[in-house]
DNA sequence: CGAGAATTTGAGTTTTGTCAATGATCGTGG
DNA sequence: CCACGATCATTGACAAAACTCAAATTCTCG
């Protein structure tokens, strides 16, 4: 993922909502400065996770949700037998662990894809605080609702789209998420492996690799390892939607 | 769906949480009797929907969530071009419309599959009431969280399972939902068409039909139109998980 | 620098989709 | 109550997309 400069600055210092550059995207989005102080007070600092380290594991007791501060993570669910399903990638300002509320344990493991820092938000305190702060409550409802909406989009992708469309859609979505966070929407680094990508998109690794090669050949994107350059966004959008649907009138 | 007896009893009469047979599954689940009265007061009655009638349409302004009282519905999202994606079926006691909170309009249409009655719960009033009633708030969080969790399961189904496994999983899930509602888990009627089923499961109608025929031939289920009889649940569970994975030791 | 992991590419197979035709069911109106 | 049209469901034949297996190449990190 783009630059993790200032890695060395004191994390405790950085970890205050009032000074956090993500506060306009994150949970306290809608809060007044003084309310933000209250919210800030319930947050727990965590040591940065190294690549491959789990934030929590499937089956762990649910206690907190987490806001991603820097880096990225993946969520996977295992179903007894070997094969896991990767259900989500999380980028800075996104909220992790909301699907653990229902059963009071986490239904999937969440693992850092690179060095990653998060803010831990104990859920019982968040709930209590949301009683007093309607804006916070609203934001929490919205976060969950947005995730529901995104899930529906993902189901559509998995059930109706071809492999080409899936890759194109994924790149567009990622590009958009970077843009919203102030990074270049055209040039970025994937923090996940091709295997992760395939698992997430419901494709074999080989298929992912092949399609990326083809996109590159068609000069839609330039791919160099995990470095991505979107060269022709309009074309990519077309690819995501219609898949060469040959102009069949009617 | 199973028996809709007492259809004729006054709906207004029936539509009180305190006397509703679903209250142990529904949103007011965790409420004391007196709190339930408060909750009950914000609910609006609606005339029953006829088969094919929309509860709301994609793009409509989000105002309320709905609890299904009887019947069933499907949610579909259209993406400009023709083909829709069916993202959910809703049965009695389930909460519809939660994914509309985020953007303040509904991201999909919800349509009755048969004669269906719902309780309308205006969201602003629900939100306000949830401020005073922590149990209600908790239940609302849990409902959304559960839906997130179910969505993950669905993604897994769409991305990793074969057509046979998808059908088997679907039947098991449905069976379980009926069981929880006090209906027979082995004998029930599908309220959705084969086309709906295929759309939901990411399969062609023909595939759905073929597999159902095969299941019938193997005497796992008996199928007669939309009437389903599960004959061999253990086998069905096996089919959902391993797909004839031929006992390949290691 | 080197071993193991990750990625790419090729060849052949399998699953599922598409097209087409037939049969069953439902709902409506005579 | 039955007939008829329309929708829905089933079945067959073939095609296409994506998977699996295999092997070569590149990358990563100690």
């Amino acid at each position: 993922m783009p630059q993790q400069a200032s890695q060395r600055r004191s994390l405790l210092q950085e970890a205050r909502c009032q000074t956090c550059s993500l506060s306009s995207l994150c949970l306290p989005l809608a809060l007044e400065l003084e309310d933000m102080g209250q919210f800030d007070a319930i947050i727990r600092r965590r040591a940065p996770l190294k690549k491959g380290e789990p934030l929590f594991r499937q089956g762990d007791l649910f206690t907190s949700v987490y806001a991603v501060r820097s880096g990225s993570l993946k969520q996977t669910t295992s179903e007894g037998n070997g094969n896991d399903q990767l259900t989500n990638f999380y980028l800075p300002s996104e909220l992790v662990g909301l699907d653990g509320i229902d059963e009071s344990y986490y239904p999937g493991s969440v693992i850092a894809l690179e060095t990653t820092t998060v803010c831990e938000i104990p859920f019982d305190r968040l709930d209590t605080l949301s009683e007093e702060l309607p804006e916070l409550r609203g934001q929490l409802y919205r976060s969950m609702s947005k995730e529901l909406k995104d899930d529906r989009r993902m189901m559509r992708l998995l059930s109706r789209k071809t492999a080409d469309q899936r890759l194109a859609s994924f790149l567009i979505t990622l590009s958009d998420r970077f843009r919203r966070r102030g990074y270049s929407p055209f040039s970025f680094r994937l923090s996940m492996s091709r295997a992760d990508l395939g698992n997430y998109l419901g494709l074999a690794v080989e298929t992912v690799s092949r399609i990326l090669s083809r996109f590159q050949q068609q000069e839609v994107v330039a791919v160099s390892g995990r470095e991505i350059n979107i060269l022709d966004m309009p074309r990519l959008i077309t690819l995501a939607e219609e898949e060469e649907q040959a102009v069949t009138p009617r």
Side-chain angles (χ1 to χ4, degrees), chain A:
Chain A
M1 301 283 139
Q3 54 181 2
Q4 51 244 85
S6 70
Q7 190 88 87
R8 235 160 299 261
R9 242 196 292 156
S10 158
L11 286 163
L12 296 186
Q13 194 60 19
E14 244 185 312
R16 326 206 74 246
C17 295
Q18 292 89 335
T19 60
C20 177
S21 62
L22 294 168
S23 65
S24 64
L25 295 163
C26 193
L27 197 53
L29 182 161
L31 300 183
E32 302 295 331
L33 209 57
E34 61 182 312
D35 293 342
M36 206 182 278
Q38 279 196 71
F39 177 76
D40 189 73
I42 70 172
I43 291 182
R44 290 210 203 108
R45 326 304 176 193
R46 300 262 304 209
L49 295 166
K50 289 196 282 279
K51 180 174 169 174
E53 242 183 294
L55 177 57
F56 51 76
R57 288 210 172 77
Q58 182 169 348
D60 283 358
L61 196 67
F62 170 82
T63 55
S64 306
V65 297
Y66 299 85
V68 183
R69 170 171 289 280
S70 72
S72 55
L73 309 104
K74 64 177 175 183
Q75 175 165 50
T76 62
T77 327
S78 161
E79 213 174 62
N81 48 40
N83 62 3
D84 292 6
Q85 171 65 27
L86 205 169
T87 54
N88 245 323
F89 293 115
Y90 292 103
L91 297 190
S93 88
E94 293 174 338
L95 227 43
V96 180
L98 291 170
D99 49 1
I101 298 173
D102 181 39
E103 306 236 21
S104 73
Y105 54 79
Y106 297 104
S109 302
V110 171
I111 294 167
L113 289 168
E114 58 195 314
T115 303
T116 296
T117 57
V118 300
C119 301
E120 177 174 357
I121 311 168
F123 187 73
D124 53 354
R125 314 210 34 198
L126 177 60
D127 181 39
T128 308
L129 190 58
S130 81
E131 188 169 303
E132 304 167 34
L133 303 179
E135 290 81 12
L136 179 62
R137 194 170 64 236
Q139 195 52 36
L140 186 52
Y141 287 141
R142 264 191 299 282
S143 292
M144 298 184 81
S145 173
K146 178 175 183 336
E147 206 166 336
L148 285 174
K149 211 184 50 185
D150 291 345
D151 285 353
R152 307 282 140 85
R153 200 200 323 278
M154 193 64 193
M155 289 184 211
R156 185 175 197 287
L157 179 145
L158 291 172
S159 104
R160 310 227 80 74
K161 297 198 174 188
T162 64
D164 287 57
Q165 292 172 312
R166 293 185 200 187
L167 252 309
S169 299
F170 175 76
L171 291 176
I172 292 168
T173 303
L174 205 54
S175 164
D176 193 55
R177 284 158 87 185
F178 283 132
R179 191 178 50 69
R180 285 178 198 279
R181 285 167 183 75
Y183 298 118
S184 165
F186 300 118
S187 180
F188 47 84
R189 168 165 243 282
L190 301 175
S191 60
M192 67 294 283
S193 70
R194 299 288 193 271
D196 285 340
L197 223 54
N199 189 316
Y200 179 61
L201 296 174
L203 300 171
V205 195
E206 295 93 329
T207 307
V208 172
S209 188
R210 264 185 262 273
I211 289 170
L212 245 26
S213 298
R214 185 143 36 79
F215 281 0
Q216 165 139 262
Q217 201 185 331
Q218 297 168 343
E219 299 184 323
V220 179
V221 296
V223 183
S224 171
R226 297 193 178 179
E227 216 63 55
I228 299 283
N229 252 289
I230 299 180
L231 302 175
D232 188 348
M233 182 58 100
R235 180 107 179 77
L236 194 61
I237 292 173
T238 310
L239 280 168
E241 288 172 352
E242 354 182 14
E243 168 72 7
E244 253 1 72
Q245 212 186 49
V247 196
T248 322
R250 219 204 146 319

